[in-house]
Amino acid sequence: QARELGTAIRPPKQSLLKKHQLVADLAGGPSDAAAEAGSCLQHANFGHLDVEGDDVQQLQRSFALNAALRSYSPASSAGLAGCAVRSASGGLFAGHMIATRFGAGGVTPLQSAL
């Protein structure tokens, strides 16, 4: 339905979010959602990593390697991936993988770079 300009939109009640199947799946269920919510980028490799290289190709390789090191997967058996995208104007954009415990709702390196 259409809303008038300036109409305040209230956030949904917390009870509705707890009942939503996707939220419960991504958070691991209502029982342990509070224990693990918001900790995906709090791992040792997400700190500062130096970029090394003498030319654009070496810099791009370094961006991709650093992005792979910053990737996160709660399953230790999952491989980590990163990429570096070079724009037509010469800009470099790094992207790292973010996986979820159940495999749904993750972010690919290309998605995070874009």
Side-chain angles (χ1 to χ4, degrees):
Q1 82 190 32
R3 298 178 192 260
E4 290 186 33
L5 185 62
T7 302
I9 301 172
R10 291 185 226 139
K13 295 179 182 178
Q14 289 293 327
S15 60
L16 289 175
L17 293 177
K18 290 179 183 176
K19 293 177 188 176
H20 193 278
Q21 187 64 39
L22 289 177
V23 172
D25 285 345
L26 291 174
S31 60
D32 62 349
E36 296 195 26
S39 64
C40 79
L41 297 179
Q42 297 176 7
H43 59 90
N45 286 340
F46 201 75
H48 173 76
L49 298 170
D50 288 331
V51 176
E52 299 173 355
D54 296 326
D55 60 10
V56 176
Q57 288 180 339
Q58 290 177 357
L59 289 172
Q60 188 171 6
R61 190 177 303 119
S62 180
F63 268 55
L65 176 62
N66 288 350
L69 292 172
R70 288 185 173 136
S71 294
Y72 173 79
S73 174
S76 60
S77 62
L80 300 178
C83 75
V85 178
R86 186 170 20 169
S87 68
S89 62
L92 286 174
F93 302 92
H96 54 275
M97 176 190 87
I98 302 173
T100 61
R101 185 179 330 168
F102 299 109
V107 177
T108 67
L110 185 58
Q111 287 174 323
S112 67
L114 296 177

